[in-house]
Amino acid sequence: MSERTANRTFDIVTTVLVAVAVLLCLAPFIHILSISFSSNRAITSGEVTLFPVEFNLQAYGKVFADMSMIRSLGFTVLLTVITTVLSMLMTIIAAYPLTKKNLKGRKTMMFIIVVTMFFSGGIIPEYILVRDLHLLNNMWSLILPGLISPFYLIILISFFNGIPESLGEAAEIDGTSQFGTLIRIVLPLSLPVLATLSLFYGVGRWNGFQDTLMYIQNPDLFPLQLKLYQMIQNNMVSELTRLEGASGARITPEGLKAASVIFATVPILLVYPWLQRYFVSGVMVGAVKG
Amino acid sequence: MKGNVYFRRYWQLYALLVLPLAYFIVFKYGPMWGVQIAFKDFNFFQGITGSEWIGFDAFREVFRMDDFYRTLRNTIVLNLLDLLVSFPAPLILAILLYEMKVVWFKKLSQTILYIPHFISWVIIGGIVYQVFGTQSGMINNVLTTLGFQAIPFLTDKNDWVLTYLLTGVWQSAGWGTILYLAALTGINRELFEAAEVDGAGRLKRIWYITIPGMKTTIATLLIINLGNMITIGFDRPYVIGNVAVRDYSDVLSTFVYRIGMESGQYTLATVVGLFQAVVGLIFVLGANYASKKLTDESIM
């Protein structure tokens, strides 16, 4: 085999392997999409694998007719937007002062922040705190406790540190306030990392589950993840009862469940491509140095 | 006067810091102060300060619980198996992606492979039931059509571990390539050209140039993973686990949730949480120390 053919073979093999990985990555999504578009009969008889069988939109019809589902989506969007905006604001106003090397007390403040990355009180003291603040069954219980991620804060600090200090100093000589420097010079230069962190905060809130399980009992305030979990849990019960030959579990039809999963996934998939080009560089900033 | 000038110049920076620091003190240090309920006979009516001190009684009780050792074992075993299966996957994927010459396909593949990282465990749980279900799951449908026995992925303990591991690979492999690819962009292209001149084939070049180029990243990530042996997320085992496989799926985080939030044994749950936090801290600091020694690169 000449070197040229060896090279070609190698290229083909790598491409095929990556293609297989991509297909394995997509297959579950395609399957669930097909389920959501198939008839109940075809789903229960196990005919659906990668293509819809007896195509129909019944499941989506039901999802969109279910007002509690729409309300839950609306609430989750609102929650995600508020969380992202507030988290970014807080992270920015914390990061900027901490980049000033001559700020008195900077080291102490950094220490106070970094400690929280390694040690936490745990979920029970957190629950008791949220309860004592009367935030149970309140949207703010899902926003306030995780407002600033110390990890993202440190990513932002190291990004700000990469911006030449002379730029800020020049502005200061021209009479710009610290606040003005932050808004007019630092932030415009930080758009990629700001977009990345917004995506991470947003996705984190959108996907967050444990806190919703702990803090929210009122069905009117169920975010999508909690609603979905209950549907899936019903299905698990059915799987177990079938095994034991018992019955009685309320089973959510597979199609409806699949449609709900798609319903909760699409919003993320819509924002993701817009932000993807940023986050690769954003992640690298974080990887360089904590 | 000097201090005055300093503050006139910098007061805005301190003003900016007020709210973030208040956040850390209330929501991060508040729960740390609350950890004292591990040493108290806590009840809600008397509150944290009003409850009576009981010293290490709750610790003694926890260390007598079989469930505690079972969940500790499950946490470590699941993490170790996960490391074994999920660690090499992004490494191999990154090498393949790095070797790909068709730029548009490479970019498209990366975009798609990152997606599972952004999907919640609740949704993955929903997908898992449709894919791995015994009666109507995709894999078992294919298996039974081909004349094989169905595999009880969700209800048999050992098969469940397989399901747990496979979903982990699926969720994290693509995203994990980012750091390796970042490390690879730092490799001097001339090394490859020189190797080619010396007659090294593609596999040799991978072995002698690409993999050494990722060495530090591999070591650092491995150490971080080892440092997190006792830490385990809640969502993944909680959503994918179920009553039938609880012997294997119950881990420290779900145990704390169960005895604390479901049974209301706040003191015991806090003890387990504190145990996990302290041992986890020791592991992480140890890992950081090892990282400094071995790779000259500390995690923090």
Side-chain angles (χ1 to χ4, degrees):
Chain A
M1 197 157 53
S2 78
E3 195 173 323
R4 180 163 243 182
T5 39
N7 241 332
R8 269 207 75 78
T9 323
F10 189 89
D11 280 335
I12 292 168
V13 171
T14 45
T15 310
V16 168
L17 287 177
V18 171
V20 169
V22 169
L23 282 180
L24 284 176
C25 177
L26 284 179
F29 288 119
I30 298 171
H31 174 65
I32 210 146
L33 198 63
S34 301
I35 292 270
S36 73
F37 284 122
S38 296
S39 74
N40 261 326
R41 191 206 59 78
I43 300 166
T44 39
S45 65
E47 288 166 35
V48 186
T49 42
L50 291 180
F51 298 101
V53 176
E54 293 165 17
F55 182 91
N56 71 78
L57 294 167
Q58 276 175 6
Y60 288 98
K62 274 195 185 140
V63 171
F64 284 103
D66 181 356
M67 272 323 286
S68 74
M69 201 71 181
I70 304 291
R71 192 148 27 94
S72 182
L73 175 75
F75 176 60
T76 313
V77 169
L78 180 75
L79 186 64
T80 305
V81 170
I82 295 178
T83 306
T84 310
V85 170
L86 285 184
S87 288
M88 285 308 291
L89 266 176
M90 289 287 272
T91 310
I92 290 167
I93 63 174
Y96 179 66
L98 293 171
T99 55
K100 302 288 173 193
K101 298 277 181 301
N102 50 359
L103 187 79
K104 281 179 187 158
R106 177 174 154 275
K107 285 222 163 109
T108 317
M109 290 186 269
M110 280 306 286
F111 182 77
I112 288 174
I113 290 164
V114 168
V115 166
T116 66
M117 286 174 73
F118 295 102
F119 190 81
S120 77
I123 63 157
I124 302 299
E126 272 169 34
Y127 172 79
I128 291 166
L129 175 73
V130 167
R131 188 185 173 276
D132 288 350
L133 293 172
H134 302 288
L135 292 176
L136 289 185
N137 275 317
N138 182 323
M139 171 171 101
W140 293 99
S141 66
L142 305 178
I143 297 174
L144 295 177
L147 205 49
I148 303 177
S149 148
F151 182 63
Y152 298 164
L153 175 57
I154 282 165
I155 290 181
L156 195 59
I157 291 174
S158 54
F159 189 90
F160 283 174
N161 273 332
I163 296 171
E165 235 171 290
S166 52
L167 283 176
E169 280 161 11
E172 260 182 69
I173 291 165
D174 291 348
T176 313
S177 64
Q178 294 283 353
F179 204 63
T181 316
L182 171 63
I183 292 178
R184 266 177 261 154
I185 294 170
V186 176
L187 291 187
L189 288 171
S190 312
L191 289 179
V193 76
L194 296 180
T196 308
L197 296 185
S198 302
L199 175 74
F200 289 172
Y201 274 125
V203 170
R205 183 59 271 163
W206 184 272
N207 284 342
F209 170 60
Q210 189 179 13
D211 54 351
T212 65
L213 193 64
M214 286 172 54
Y215 302 144
I216 306 292
Q217 262 90 46
N218 178 358
D220 288 345
L221 293 177
F222 275 9
L224 271 182
Q225 306 297 338
L226 192 53
K227 245 182 127 51
L228 272 178
Y229 175 72
Q230 291 185 332
M231 275 191 168
I232 293 158
Q233 197 56 20
N234 285 340
N235 199 63
M236 192 60 231
V237 173
S238 75
E239 175 108 12
L240 289 170
T241 46
R242 215 159 15 199
L243 200 72
E244 290 153 10
S247 63
R250 194 169 60 84
I251 302 167
T252 314
E254 304 286 319
L256 183 56
K257 215 163 46 95
S260 308
V261 163
I262 301 289
F263 183 76
T265 315
V266 163
I268 290 254
L269 294 185
L270 288 181
V271 294
Y272 163 84
W274 302 100
L275 293 161
Q276 192 215 348
R277 63 196 173 104
Y278 292 123
F279 67 61
V280 176
S281 58
V283 168
M284 288 198 317
V285 174
V288 177
K289 194 77 195 143
Chain B
M1 266 327 274
K2 200 160 170 263
N4 239 335
V5 174
Y6 179 85
F7 278 106
R8 202 170 301 154
R9 190 167 164 209
Y10 285 114
W11 69 268
Q12 291 179 324
L13 296 180
Y14 288 100
L16 288 177
L17 279 166
V18 170
L19 276 176
L21 284 177
Y23 161 77
F24 277 100
I25 286 160
V26 174
F27 286 101
K28 298 283 180 178
Y29 286 85
M32 285 189 210
W33 178 79
V35 154
Q36 60 178 287
I37 67 176
F39 306 93
K40 286 190 161 184
D41 181 15
F42 179 74
N43 91 48
F44 267 127
F45 302 103
Q46 285 152 334
I48 295 178
T49 26
S51 294
E52 237 171 276
W53 290 100
I54 52 167
F56 283 90
D57 283 3
F59 282 80
R60 273 181 218 112
E61 193 174 336
V62 163
F63 291 137
R64 272 198 302 265
M65 291 167 95
D66 288 340
D67 271 0
F68 171 70
Y69 293 101
R70 200 178 45 139
T71 52
L72 180 62
R73 177 204 70 188
N74 289 346
T75 304
I76 293 171
V77 169
L78 286 179
N79 275 338
L80 273 177
L81 288 175
D82 211 25
L83 182 64
L84 213 64
V85 178
S86 289
F87 194 77
L91 199 61
I92 297 164
L93 209 50
I95 293 174
L96 290 173
L97 284 168
Y98 187 66
E99 292 291 331
M100 288 249 305
K101 296 291 179 288
V102 195
V103 177
W104 70 267
F105 185 62
K106 180 175 169 170
K107 286 209 166 129
L108 180 71
S109 306
Q110 280 177 282
T111 303
I112 293 171
L113 289 167
Y114 294 156
I115 291 175
H117 175 78
F118 294 96
I119 303 296
S120 78
W121 279 108
V122 172
I123 286 177
I124 295 178
I127 297 175
V128 161
Y129 290 122
Q130 307 258 9
V131 172
F132 290 98
T134 315
Q135 301 289 324
S136 57
M138 178 174 72
I139 295 177
N140 277 323
N141 283 342
V142 174
L143 284 179
T144 44
T145 325
L146 294 176
F148 293 101
Q149 279 266 305
I151 301 169
F153 286 109
L154 300 173
T155 44
D156 176 85
K157 288 184 219 161
N158 294 313
D159 292 327
W160 179 83
V161 173
L162 185 70
T163 311
Y164 179 87
L165 296 177
L166 287 178
T167 53
V169 174
W170 183 78
Q171 197 253 2
S172 65
W175 183 251
T177 60
I178 281 198
L179 289 178
Y180 292 120
L181 288 171
L184 290 179
T185 52
I187 294 181
N188 190 345
R189 300 297 305 184
E190 282 171 24
L191 286 174
F192 287 100
E193 283 152 27
E196 208 178 340
V197 172
D198 290 346
R202 298 281 287 270
L203 283 173
K204 277 231 160 93
R205 274 177 264 163
I206 290 175
W207 186 252
Y208 288 110
I209 302 170
T210 314
I211 292 178
M214 296 187 288
K215 213 177 60 191
T216 331
T217 312
I218 297 172
T220 314
L221 290 179
L222 194 63
I223 291 165
I224 294 180
N225 269 303
L226 287 170
N228 286 329
M229 267 304 120
I230 194 155
T231 341
I232 192 159
F234 170 83
D235 294 3
R236 182 178 171 198
Y238 188 77
V239 169
I240 299 180
N242 58 72
V243 187
V245 296
R246 186 179 273 178
D247 280 350
Y248 287 1
S249 71
D250 206 8
V251 291
L252 287 171
S253 58
T254 53
F255 181 52
V256 170
Y257 177 80
R258 194 154 51 82
I259 58 171
M261 302 306 298
E262 282 174 8
S263 320
Q265 295 169 295
Y266 297 103
T267 298
L268 293 183
T270 308
V271 167
V272 179
L274 181 59
F275 169 86
Q276 193 179 9
V278 170
V279 177
L281 181 67
I282 294 168
F283 270 57
V284 168
L285 292 181
N288 194 40
Y289 179 77
S291 170
K292 248 181 207 156
K293 284 256 144 176
L294 292 172
T295 63
D296 282 335
E297 219 161 292
S298 66
I299 304 152
M300 265 319 295

